[in-house]
């Protein structure tokens, strides 16, 4: 079953612009993780934010978490063509080891 | 160091045949996961190993699917009597085993059942 839902499903922007993707989930979580997947490749872990954190940065990535709204956002600043990929959020609940995945946002950066 | 390795990268088989998909996790990772991914979808959980034992196989769709990890390292996903609906990318991931720790994925095996 999928808990996370990303929106938009697809996003196309010009290189240099910022890209924002959102993720909503349904139940309480231990942490939320964002992954990137290039076409034909496996998923690559980007960033993890714990339920007691509200914001986290890693390079050009900024993740926020609002547990009251059960939502998270991933911001990629100064986008590059190489950022073209699908982005997935995954949540970890309580003592569960499983990640529950959304269907992803397909991001296209136009040069 | 080496990442998660999956072989073969592509497998085409006829309906009704048996297939084995292999995963070599990152050395020292105790947790190993198998997922299945269809086009445009997120990963669908199949099975999770902690060491040699299958801690959770609730995602396996039916008894045609089976996975082993006999020495706590390499894992093999086995599919009997393949059906066209089994066509998908099968992803393997490993982690340190700590609850909620990030997963490291292989590039997957694209299985096509004709």
């Amino acid at each position: 079953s999928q808990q996370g839902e990303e929106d938009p499903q697809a996003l196309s922007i010009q290189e240099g612009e910022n890209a924002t993707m959102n993720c909503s989930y349904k139940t309480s979580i231990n942490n939320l993780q964002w992954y990137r997947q290039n076409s034909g490749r496996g998923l690559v872990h980007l960033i993890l934010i714990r339920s007691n954190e509200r914001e986290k940065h890693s390079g050009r990535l900024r993740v926020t978490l609002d547990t009251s709204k059960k939502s998270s956002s991933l911001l990629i600043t100064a986008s590059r063509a190489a950022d073209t990929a699908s982005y997935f959020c995954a949540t970890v609940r309580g003592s569960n080891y499983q990640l529950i995945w959304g269907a992803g946002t397909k991001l296209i950066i136009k040069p | 160091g080496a990442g998660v390795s999956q072989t073969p990268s592509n497998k085409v088989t006829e309906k009704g045949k048996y297939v084995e998909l292999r995963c070599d996790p990152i050395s020292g990772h105790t947790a190993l996961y198998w997922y299945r991914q269809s086009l445009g979808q997120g990963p669908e959980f199949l099975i999770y190993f902690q060491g040699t034992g299958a801690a959770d196989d609730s995602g396996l769709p039916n008894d045609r699917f089976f996975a082993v990890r006999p020495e706590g390292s390499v894992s093999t996903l086995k599919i009997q009597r393949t059906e066209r609906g089994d066509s998908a990318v099968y992803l393997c991931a490993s982690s340190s085993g700590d609850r909620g720790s990030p997963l490291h994925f292989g590039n997957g095996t694209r299985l096509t059942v004709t």
Side-chain angles (χ1 to χ4, degrees):
Chain A
S1 62
Q2 292 184 332
Q3 159 155 259
E5 293 185 6
E6 291 91 340
D7 77 86
Q9 290 185 332
L11 179 62
S12 181
I13 61 173
Q14 290 294 138
E15 191 169 25
E17 294 180 341
N18 295 341
T20 300
M21 290 159 276
N22 302 297
C23 169
S24 60
Y25 55 92
K26 296 172 184 169
T27 64
S28 61
I29 61 171
N30 176 280
N31 67 59
L32 185 145
Q33 302 176 27
W34 284 92
Y35 288 78
R36 183 188 73 225
Q37 185 177 35
N38 291 87
S39 180
R41 310 284 288 184
L43 289 87
V44 174
H45 177 258
L46 295 176
I47 197 165
L48 180 154
I49 187 165
R50 301 188 191 285
S51 60
N52 61 354
E53 297 176 311
R54 292 296 168 259
E55 186 171 312
K56 205 161 183 179
H57 298 254
S58 176
R60 293 184 297 113
L61 306 180
R62 173 177 170 252
V63 168
T64 62
L65 179 65
D66 186 335
T67 52
S68 65
K69 295 180 179 178
K70 293 187 169 54
S71 68
S72 173
S73 68
L74 171 66
L75 168 68
I76 303 174
T77 60
S79 62
R80 305 168 182 169
D83 295 329
T84 294
S86 291
Y87 291 81
F88 294 88
C89 69
T91 54
V92 177
R93 295 167 52 191
S95 60
N96 200 320
Y97 48 80
Q98 276 197 45
L99 273 70
I100 308 298
W101 299 84
T105 292
K106 186 168 184 177
L107 176 66
I108 296 173
I109 307 300
K110 295 178 284 188
Chain B
V4 177
S5 175
Q6 290 188 246
T7 54
S9 55
N10 282 283
K11 177 70 177 179
V12 180
T13 190
E14 292 180 348
K15 179 176 177 296
K17 298 290 188 182
Y18 168 82
V19 295
E20 289 189 352
L21 312 179
R22 177 188 168 105
C23 173
D24 278 275
I26 291 174
S27 178
H29 277 187
T30 58
L32 185 147
Y33 303 75
W34 282 100
Y35 287 90
R36 179 167 69 176
Q37 187 178 29
S38 300
L39 192 64
Q41 298 295 314
E44 173 194 0
F45 171 76
L46 296 178
I47 187 169
Y48 158 69
F49 288 90
Q50 184 63 260
T52 61
D56 184 349
D57 64 358
S58 62
L60 296 177
N62 51 59
D63 62 7
R64 295 187 297 106
F65 289 74
F66 189 71
V68 295
R69 194 187 186 198
E71 298 177 358
S73 178
V74 171
S75 176
T76 304
L77 178 65
K78 308 180 181 191
I79 310 174
Q80 299 177 323
R81 303 183 304 280
T82 51
E83 300 177 355
R84 292 194 180 87
D86 299 335
S87 296
V89 176
Y90 289 80
L91 296 168
C92 176
S94 69
S95 78
S96 64
D98 295 332
R99 178 165 52 91
S101 56
L103 303 188
H104 301 261
F105 281 83
N107 286 329
T109 294
R110 180 176 297 278
L111 176 66
T112 304
V113 182
T114 61

